[in-house]
Amino acid sequence: MRSRSSRKTPRSLRPDSTTPLIVLDDGERLIVIGELVGAHGIQGEIRLRAFNPDSSVLTEVSQVFLLSPDIGQRLASLERARPHGAVWLLRICDVTTPEAARALTGTRVAVREGDLPPLEGGQFYCYRLIGLDVFDQAGEPLGAVADVLATGGNDVLVVRNGANEHMIPMVDRLIGEIDLQARRIVVHAIDGLLD
């Protein structure tokens, strides 16, 4: 989950997907880390498609939040979590049958923001980019970050300005500055990037 990259642009770490940050009524902040995609075996284990498969957060927490339109928001105790190929297998207390596991398919899983592993200097989590204003190197506004897509090679900023949408790869030659405090990103708009 952590990057040791020495690149000028910090490598982003992705625990999230669309709407990754959820603020509860009491102000507690949750980060969505994946989605349950079905049962595994006969003991009630559940397969989780993690938004960042390399994340170690599931091995470090004892509770997760289950979020869905059907069940709302529910705090659940996590007995065990282990990687299994392209997914994680979770054992959640009170889920002991394949039927109970299947009933949770489509449920998103979140952890408390404070449970995320600490990062080294120059690193950040992608959910912190969502909502940041994006400008070209001349200071012209391009829109705001609506999402960050993990593509395997590099992450891609989805920048929206009304009906206009730009897909900007997060590579050094295009990303000039990311300032989380000022809530802004500066990109080098090379020919064809914003067409």
Side-chain angles (χ1 to χ4, degrees), residues 37-174:
V37 294
H40 178 82
I42 60 171
Q43 302 288 322
E45 276 190 307
I46 307 170
R47 291 181 294 132
L48 172 82
R49 180 180 57 86
F51 298 140
N52 178 1
D54 297 328
S55 173
S56 62
V57 70
L58 286 170
T59 63
E60 299 170 13
V61 297
S62 60
Q63 295 180 320
V64 295
F65 288 82
L66 303 178
L67 311 164
S68 80
D70 295 337
I71 65 171
Q73 164 213 314
R74 184 179 111 199
L75 182 63
S77 294
L78 185 63
E79 287 182 15
R80 177 177 69 226
R82 60 188 172 102
H84 182 74
V87 298
W88 279 76
L89 298 180
L90 307 184
R91 184 80 163 100
I92 296 174
C93 292
D94 301 327
V95 177
T96 57
T97 66
E99 294 78 19
R102 275 193 292 277
L104 293 173
T105 298
T107 298
R108 294 183 302 157
V109 175
V111 297
R112 292 179 177 95
E113 185 178 38
D115 288 339
L116 293 174
L119 300 176
E120 297 174 12
Q123 294 181 324
F124 56 88
Y125 286 105
C126 280
Y127 77 88
R128 296 199 59 206
L129 301 180
I130 295 176
L132 268 59
D133 294 318
V134 180
F135 300 87
D136 67 13
Q137 63 269 28
E140 292 297 317
L142 301 176
V145 178
D147 198 1
V148 182
L149 305 177
T151 63
N154 53 265
D155 291 338
V156 175
L157 297 176
V158 179
V159 178
R160 290 197 185 115
N161 187 359
N164 294 329
E165 182 175 278
H166 304 293
M167 307 290 270
I168 302 175
M170 291 187 64
V171 295
D172 287 344
R173 67 187 181 103
L174 299 179

